[in-house]
Amino acid sequence: MTDAPKHEALFQPLKMGALEARNRIFMAPLTRGRAADPMFVPNSMMETYYRQRSGAGMILTEATGISTEGLGWPSAPGIWSDEQTESWKPIVDAVHEEGGLISMQLWHMGRIVHPYFLDGKPPFSASETKAPGEAHTPEGKKEFVTARAMTHDDIKRTVDDYRRAAENAKKAGFDSVQLHGANGYLVDQFLRDGTNHRDDEYGGSPENRTRFMREALEAIVDVWGADRVGIRLSPNGDSQGTDDSNPPATFGAAAKVIEEMGLAYLELRQPGPDGTFGRTDVPKQDALIRELYSGALILNSDYTAQEADDDVSSGRCDAVSFGRPYISNPDLEKRIAAGAEFNPNKDVPKSWYFPTPEGYIDYLTLEEEKAAANAA
């Protein structure tokens, strides 16, 4: 007879639309930069990485580019080509072989793409704006440039790119797709009035600023059905220079769209005091969104196991997605069940993005740690 797991609320199954998660400890999207040689194409090292972490209730993949003009991160994977689609299949199969559930996060970076990736051309965004800071490129960091405002043709083409990416994700065998609407990337650039200065039907009121998000979601839902589609939002404070003067109005309008469309799940990026995105002086919006959206709500960022269990137990959310802890703890859910200590990340942040197996697939599981200790 085995002991009951610690933090029992996290080990209850969860139904999200057509999806059935075996626990409520999800793996958050984590950019890892291992799709190297050729750039943007998944590989066998990624297969090992995702297989190792397949005990999560659901894996949300690293942000995955929907087009060449939407991806500006060295060695991040894409899903716009046949080669990329075929290369994702063994990764998905590996997770399924372990009984896991995996959702692809669909990503367009908007103004965060550096011209290095665009043959010297400027990126585009909701409006003519410039992100603060510098972009990561294979030639080192380079200052962001001013993006051009998207035309209606640009918007239509990009929505079509979301549709094609969703179709490719389905061909690759994923269980679900998640629209990346957070962290200052393209959808977020449309949502927030700090970066959306348009005076047409895509700008102005909060409802108008949700239009691009809605159109992207409609294209994805047309491929998948709403019961296998989710979205990620980051409604609290500045993200890469993308901010809003009235987050409750903006993200309340977004939540109403998501509820109306009947999406299976909504993940909110809500950093704590030591988080890497966002301000701590901005009130969290999850309570407002919980009132407006009746589907599965997933909260993310800077959680301990106890805090996650408390929020699921209280009904504040239905699941918690862990990010950085899953980097160094491939069996995070087993450690939580056993009440064990987490491995610390090593060589941070180099190991997060440097395209080698070290700091990626070489972390020991709890069982391996115990075996090594017993052999010593």
Side-chain angles (χ1 to χ4, degrees), residues 8-61:
E8 288 188 56
L10 297 177
F11 291 91
Q12 302 304 309
L14 176 63
K15 183 170 175 57
M16 306 173 290
L19 304 167
E20 298 269 0
R22 56 184 171 182
N23 64 57
R24 300 177 184 225
I25 301 166
F26 289 8
M27 179 174 157
L30 291 159
T31 297
R32 300 306 311 277
R34 260 62 180 196
D37 303 323
M39 195 180 292
F40 308 142
V41 177
N43 54 42
S44 59
M45 186 163 55
M46 293 170 59
E47 178 184 340
T48 299
Y49 172 77
Y50 283 109
R51 183 189 291 274
Q52 289 174 337
R53 290 153 181 78
S54 57
M58 181 167 71
I59 291 174
L60 296 156
T61 70

Side-chain angles (χ1 to χ4, degrees), residues 19 87 109 130 171 200 215 244 304:
L19 304 167
S87 296
M109 297 172 67
K130 179 182 176 182
K171 290 175 186 175
D200 62 4
E215 290 181 358
D244 193 82
T304 65

Side-chain angles (χ1 to χ4, degrees), residues 43-363:
N43 54 42
S44 59
M45 186 163 55
M46 293 170 59
E47 178 184 340
T48 299
Y49 172 77
Y50 283 109
R51 183 189 291 274
Q52 289 174 337
R53 290 153 181 78
S54 57
M58 181 167 71
I59 291 174
L60 296 156
T61 70
E62 61 205 282
T64 303
I66 65 166
S67 65
T68 54
E69 64 187 357
L71 183 54
W73 189 281
S75 298
I79 189 65
W80 63 81
S81 72
D82 290 342
E83 182 184 11
Q84 291 164 342
T85 302
E86 289 300 313
S87 296
W88 274 110
K89 287 181 179 179
I91 297 171
V92 174
D93 289 345
V95 173
H96 288 165
E97 285 168 9
E98 303 297 330
L101 196 66
I102 184 167
S103 176
M104 169 166 279
Q105 188 185 66
L106 303 178
W107 190 30
H108 194 299
M109 297 172 67
R111 70 178 189 166
I112 305 299
V113 181
H114 191 272
Y116 172 92
F117 298 95
L118 303 171
D119 296 324
K121 299 175 183 176
F124 58 54
S125 183
S127 299
E128 187 177 310
T129 61
K130 179 182 176 182
E134 296 175 314
H136 294 274
T137 80
E139 295 178 350
K141 291 187 176 182
K142 295 178 181 288
E143 186 178 346
F144 288 114
V145 304
T146 300
R148 65 177 179 83
M150 292 174 74
T151 66
H152 283 74
D153 284 344
D154 291 328
I155 291 172
K156 182 181 183 304
R157 184 180 72 257
T158 303
V159 169
D160 287 343
D161 288 340
Y162 276 112
R163 179 187 297 275
R164 183 181 69 243
E167 291 170 345
N168 287 343
K170 196 167 190 178
K171 290 175 186 175
F174 283 90
D175 300 293
S176 163
V177 288
Q178 181 194 53
L179 176 63
H180 196 340
N183 297 1
Y185 296 115
L186 183 61
V187 173
D188 210 18
Q189 291 160 28
F190 269 90
L191 286 175
R192 306 208 212 192
D193 61 14
T195 43
N196 185 339
H197 308 150
R198 301 177 73 97
D199 58 7
D200 62 4
E201 67 270 32
Y202 293 92
S205 69
E207 290 71 24
N208 278 5
R209 285 184 272 117
T210 67
R211 189 182 301 273
F212 178 75
M213 179 193 78
R214 179 194 287 271
E215 290 181 358
L217 284 171
E218 286 173 344
I220 295 166
V221 166
D222 191 46
V223 174
W224 278 87
D227 58 359
R228 289 186 179 272
V229 174
I231 187 170
R232 173 180 249 224
L233 299 176
S234 53
N236 301 288
D238 179 290
S239 287
Q240 302 194 86
T242 301
D243 209 346
D244 193 82
S245 64
N246 189 351
T250 295
F251 290 97
K256 289 176 183 177
V257 171
I258 294 163
E259 171 69 9
E260 179 187 327
M261 296 187 71
L263 298 194
Y265 59 92
L266 166 58
E267 183 193 19
L268 297 182
R269 176 84 163 90
Q270 301 208 111
D274 300 319
T276 52
F277 289 95
R279 297 198 311 260
T280 58
D281 62 329
V282 178
K284 295 186 184 300
Q285 308 299 327
D286 63 274
L288 168 67
I289 289 172
R290 189 67 152 164
E291 292 179 5
L292 297 171
Y293 172 66
S294 60
L297 183 65
I298 306 159
L299 296 185
N300 161 253
S301 199
D302 307 313
Y303 269 93
T304 65
Q306 187 59 57
E307 290 167 343
D309 189 77
D310 289 345
D311 277 359
V312 171
S313 296
S314 70
R316 182 184 179 192
C317 63
D318 298 294
V320 169
S321 61
F322 290 83
R324 280 168 286 177
Y326 256 120
I327 292 176
S328 53
N329 298 276
D331 59 342
L332 182 69
E333 70 292 333
K334 291 182 180 177
R335 290 177 181 271
I336 290 174
E341 294 291 323
F342 294 178
N343 280 323
N345 291 313
K346 61 185 179 184
D347 299 326
V348 174
K350 178 181 176 182
S351 67
W352 290 354
Y353 309 126
F354 200 70
T356 65
E358 291 77 25
Y360 187 61
I361 56 175
D362 60 344
Y363 289 101

